[in-house]
Amino acid sequence: MEEVPATGMCRDCGAESQITQFPLQCEACGSFDLRVLGGEELFVEFLNLEET
Ligand SMILES: [Zn+2]
């Protein structure tokens, strides 16, 4: 099985952080209030939205 790194989106600043450890923390602002993105599909969708 392929291991897909989980991704979290900060509720405070909107930055995405790759989740590699707990507790989940935003790499940009240091907030602990992250929303975990459900999977690779959602992650790709988010990137596409940003590009357009
Ligand atoms: Zn943040």
Side-chain angles (χ1 to χ4, degrees), residues 9-17 25-34:
M9 191 174 73
C10 179
R11 290 183 202 270
D12 287 338
C13 73
E16 280 184 45
S17 298
Q25 187 175 19
C26 174
E27 292 170 354
C29 75
S31 170
F32 287 97
D33 194 4
L34 296 192

PDB file of all heavy atoms in Angstrom, residues 9-17 25-34, ligand 1:
ATOM      1  N   MET A   9      -5.323  21.847   6.965  1.00  0.00           N
ATOM      2  CA  MET A   9      -5.459  23.248   6.585  1.00  0.00           C
ATOM      3  C   MET A   9      -5.779  24.065   7.831  1.00  0.00           C
ATOM      4  O   MET A   9      -6.697  23.739   8.590  1.00  0.00           O
ATOM      5  CB  MET A   9      -6.555  23.420   5.541  1.00  0.00           C
ATOM      6  CG  MET A   9      -6.552  24.805   4.931  1.00  0.00           C
ATOM      7  SD  MET A   9      -7.725  24.976   3.574  1.00  0.00           S
ATOM      8  CE  MET A   9      -9.250  25.013   4.474  1.00  0.00           C
ATOM      9  N   CYS A  10      -5.027  25.112   8.026  1.00  0.00           N
ATOM     10  CA  CYS A  10      -5.156  25.943   9.217  1.00  0.00           C
ATOM     11  C   CYS A  10      -6.454  26.750   9.163  1.00  0.00           C
ATOM     12  O   CYS A  10      -6.765  27.372   8.156  1.00  0.00           O
ATOM     13  CB  CYS A  10      -3.956  26.882   9.307  1.00  0.00           C
ATOM     14  SG  CYS A  10      -4.012  27.968  10.731  1.00  0.00           S
ATOM     15  N   ARG A  11      -7.205  26.712  10.245  1.00  0.00           N
ATOM     16  CA  ARG A  11      -8.439  27.498  10.312  1.00  0.00           C
ATOM     17  C   ARG A  11      -8.137  28.977  10.555  1.00  0.00           C
ATOM     18  O   ARG A  11      -8.989  29.831  10.353  1.00  0.00           O
ATOM     19  CB  ARG A  11      -9.331  26.983  11.452  1.00  0.00           C
ATOM     20  CG  ARG A  11      -9.942  25.627  11.200  1.00  0.00           C
ATOM     21  CD  ARG A  11     -10.863  25.285  12.366  1.00  0.00           C
ATOM     22  NE  ARG A  11     -11.087  23.857  12.488  1.00  0.00           N
ATOM     23  CZ  ARG A  11     -12.080  23.210  11.877  1.00  0.00           C
ATOM     24  NH1 ARG A  11     -12.925  23.863  11.121  1.00  0.00           N
ATOM     25  NH2 ARG A  11     -12.225  21.919  12.041  1.00  0.00           N
ATOM     26  N   ASP A  12      -6.975  29.275  11.015  1.00  0.00           N
ATOM     27  CA  ASP A  12      -6.636  30.660  11.335  1.00  0.00           C
ATOM     28  C   ASP A  12      -6.078  31.407  10.134  1.00  0.00           C
ATOM     29  O   ASP A  12      -6.509  32.506   9.813  1.00  0.00           O
ATOM     30  CB  ASP A  12      -5.620  30.697  12.480  1.00  0.00           C
ATOM     31  CG  ASP A  12      -6.272  30.339  13.810  1.00  0.00           C
ATOM     32  OD1 ASP A  12      -7.505  30.472  13.915  1.00  0.00           O
ATOM     33  OD2 ASP A  12      -5.555  29.916  14.723  1.00  0.00           O
ATOM     34  N   CYS A  13      -5.105  30.817   9.448  1.00  0.00           N
ATOM     35  CA  CYS A  13      -4.450  31.548   8.355  1.00  0.00           C
ATOM     36  C   CYS A  13      -4.663  30.884   7.001  1.00  0.00           C
ATOM     37  O   CYS A  13      -4.316  31.443   5.978  1.00  0.00           O
ATOM     38  CB  CYS A  13      -2.956  31.700   8.644  1.00  0.00           C
ATOM     39  SG  CYS A  13      -2.019  30.182   8.442  1.00  0.00           S
ATOM     40  N   GLY A  14      -5.223  29.676   6.988  1.00  0.00           N
ATOM     41  CA  GLY A  14      -5.540  29.029   5.726  1.00  0.00           C
ATOM     42  C   GLY A  14      -4.373  28.307   5.086  1.00  0.00           C
ATOM     43  O   GLY A  14      -4.510  27.748   4.001  1.00  0.00           O
ATOM     44  N   ALA A  15      -3.236  28.296   5.736  1.00  0.00           N
ATOM     45  CA  ALA A  15      -2.065  27.626   5.178  1.00  0.00           C
ATOM     46  C   ALA A  15      -2.206  26.109   5.315  1.00  0.00           C
ATOM     47  O   ALA A  15      -2.860  25.616   6.223  1.00  0.00           O
ATOM     48  CB  ALA A  15      -0.812  28.106   5.890  1.00  0.00           C
ATOM     49  N   GLU A  16      -1.587  25.416   4.394  1.00  0.00           N
ATOM     50  CA  GLU A  16      -1.593  23.960   4.459  1.00  0.00           C
ATOM     51  C   GLU A  16      -0.301  23.462   5.080  1.00  0.00           C
ATOM     52  O   GLU A  16       0.773  23.952   4.774  1.00  0.00           O
ATOM     53  CB  GLU A  16      -1.721  23.376   3.058  1.00  0.00           C
ATOM     54  CG  GLU A  16      -3.128  23.388   2.544  1.00  0.00           C
ATOM     55  CD  GLU A  16      -3.208  22.700   1.201  1.00  0.00           C
ATOM     56  OE1 GLU A  16      -2.627  21.621   1.054  1.00  0.00           O
ATOM     57  OE2 GLU A  16      -3.828  23.269   0.299  1.00  0.00           O
ATOM     58  N   SER A  17      -0.441  22.468   5.935  1.00  0.00           N
ATOM     59  CA  SER A  17       0.734  21.865   6.541  1.00  0.00           C
ATOM     60  C   SER A  17       0.665  20.365   6.359  1.00  0.00           C
ATOM     61  O   SER A  17      -0.396  19.764   6.463  1.00  0.00           O
ATOM     62  CB  SER A  17       0.791  22.193   8.038  1.00  0.00           C
ATOM     63  OG  SER A  17       0.908  23.580   8.248  1.00  0.00           O
ATOM     64  N   GLN A  25       0.086  20.954  14.060  1.00  0.00           N
ATOM     65  CA  GLN A  25       0.385  22.372  14.221  1.00  0.00           C
ATOM     66  C   GLN A  25       0.638  23.013  12.866  1.00  0.00           C
ATOM     67  O   GLN A  25       1.306  22.442  11.998  1.00  0.00           O
ATOM     68  CB  GLN A  25       1.610  22.544  15.112  1.00  0.00           C
ATOM     69  CG  GLN A  25       1.877  24.001  15.462  1.00  0.00           C
ATOM     70  CD  GLN A  25       3.026  24.156  16.450  1.00  0.00           C
ATOM     71  OE1 GLN A  25       3.829  23.261  16.615  1.00  0.00           O
ATOM     72  NE2 GLN A  25       3.094  25.304  17.083  1.00  0.00           N
ATOM     73  N   CYS A  26       0.117  24.213  12.684  1.00  0.00           N
ATOM     74  CA  CYS A  26       0.319  24.949  11.440  1.00  0.00           C
ATOM     75  C   CYS A  26       1.774  25.374  11.316  1.00  0.00           C
ATOM     76  O   CYS A  26       2.344  25.960  12.239  1.00  0.00           O
ATOM     77  CB  CYS A  26      -0.598  26.167  11.424  1.00  0.00           C
ATOM     78  SG  CYS A  26      -0.322  27.242  10.005  1.00  0.00           S
ATOM     79  N   GLU A  27       2.352  25.092  10.158  1.00  0.00           N
ATOM     80  CA  GLU A  27       3.757  25.461   9.949  1.00  0.00           C
ATOM     81  C   GLU A  27       3.912  26.969   9.748  1.00  0.00           C
ATOM     82  O   GLU A  27       4.993  27.520   9.917  1.00  0.00           O
ATOM     83  CB  GLU A  27       4.311  24.730   8.722  1.00  0.00           C
ATOM     84  CG  GLU A  27       4.421  23.235   8.939  1.00  0.00           C
ATOM     85  CD  GLU A  27       4.738  22.503   7.647  1.00  0.00           C
ATOM     86  OE1 GLU A  27       4.746  23.157   6.582  1.00  0.00           O
ATOM     87  OE2 GLU A  27       4.960  21.286   7.707  1.00  0.00           O
ATOM     88  N   ALA A  28       2.837  27.618   9.341  1.00  0.00           N
ATOM     89  CA  ALA A  28       2.925  29.035   9.008  1.00  0.00           C
ATOM     90  C   ALA A  28       2.745  29.937  10.222  1.00  0.00           C
ATOM     91  O   ALA A  28       3.529  30.858  10.431  1.00  0.00           O
ATOM     92  CB  ALA A  28       1.880  29.380   7.951  1.00  0.00           C
ATOM     93  N   CYS A  29       1.718  29.672  11.038  1.00  0.00           N
ATOM     94  CA  CYS A  29       1.417  30.591  12.139  1.00  0.00           C
ATOM     95  C   CYS A  29       1.489  29.932  13.506  1.00  0.00           C
ATOM     96  O   CYS A  29       1.383  30.594  14.523  1.00  0.00           O
ATOM     97  CB  CYS A  29       0.043  31.230  11.935  1.00  0.00           C
ATOM     98  SG  CYS A  29      -1.335  30.117  12.273  1.00  0.00           S
ATOM     99  N   GLY A  30       1.669  28.619  13.529  1.00  0.00           N
ATOM    100  CA  GLY A  30       1.839  27.940  14.804  1.00  0.00           C
ATOM    101  C   GLY A  30       0.538  27.562  15.482  1.00  0.00           C
ATOM    102  O   GLY A  30       0.543  27.056  16.597  1.00  0.00           O
ATOM    103  N   SER A  31      -0.588  27.787  14.795  1.00  0.00           N
ATOM    104  CA  SER A  31      -1.879  27.439  15.381  1.00  0.00           C
ATOM    105  C   SER A  31      -2.055  25.923  15.456  1.00  0.00           C
ATOM    106  O   SER A  31      -1.528  25.173  14.644  1.00  0.00           O
ATOM    107  CB  SER A  31      -2.997  28.044  14.536  1.00  0.00           C
ATOM    108  OG  SER A  31      -4.247  27.531  14.942  1.00  0.00           O
ATOM    109  N   PHE A  32      -2.810  25.489  16.451  1.00  0.00           N
ATOM    110  CA  PHE A  32      -3.087  24.061  16.579  1.00  0.00           C
ATOM    111  C   PHE A  32      -4.473  23.720  16.021  1.00  0.00           C
ATOM    112  O   PHE A  32      -4.916  22.594  16.129  1.00  0.00           O
ATOM    113  CB  PHE A  32      -3.002  23.644  18.052  1.00  0.00           C
ATOM    114  CG  PHE A  32      -1.592  23.609  18.563  1.00  0.00           C
ATOM    115  CD1 PHE A  32      -1.076  24.682  19.257  1.00  0.00           C
ATOM    116  CD2 PHE A  32      -0.790  22.502  18.338  1.00  0.00           C
ATOM    117  CE1 PHE A  32       0.225  24.664  19.732  1.00  0.00           C
ATOM    118  CE2 PHE A  32       0.513  22.471  18.807  1.00  0.00           C
ATOM    119  CZ  PHE A  32       1.019  23.552  19.506  1.00  0.00           C
ATOM    120  N   ASP A  33      -5.144  24.726  15.468  1.00  0.00           N
ATOM    121  CA  ASP A  33      -6.506  24.517  14.982  1.00  0.00           C
ATOM    122  C   ASP A  33      -6.473  24.175  13.497  1.00  0.00           C
ATOM    123  O   ASP A  33      -6.686  25.018  12.635  1.00  0.00           O
ATOM    124  CB  ASP A  33      -7.323  25.788  15.226  1.00  0.00           C
ATOM    125  CG  ASP A  33      -8.807  25.523  15.055  1.00  0.00           C
ATOM    126  OD1 ASP A  33      -9.182  24.365  14.838  1.00  0.00           O
ATOM    127  OD2 ASP A  33      -9.584  26.488  15.133  1.00  0.00           O
ATOM    128  N   LEU A  34      -6.190  22.924  13.201  1.00  0.00           N
ATOM    129  CA  LEU A  34      -6.091  22.497  11.815  1.00  0.00           C
ATOM    130  C   LEU A  34      -7.252  21.613  11.435  1.00  0.00           C
ATOM    131  O   LEU A  34      -7.744  20.830  12.232  1.00  0.00           O
ATOM    132  CB  LEU A  34      -4.794  21.702  11.588  1.00  0.00           C
ATOM    133  CG  LEU A  34      -3.472  22.429  11.778  1.00  0.00           C
ATOM    134  CD1 LEU A  34      -2.342  21.574  11.231  1.00  0.00           C
ATOM    135  CD2 LEU A  34      -3.468  23.769  11.087  1.00  0.00           C
TER     136      LEU A  34
HETATM  137 ZN    ZN B   1      -1.910  28.915  10.383  1.00  0.00          ZN
END
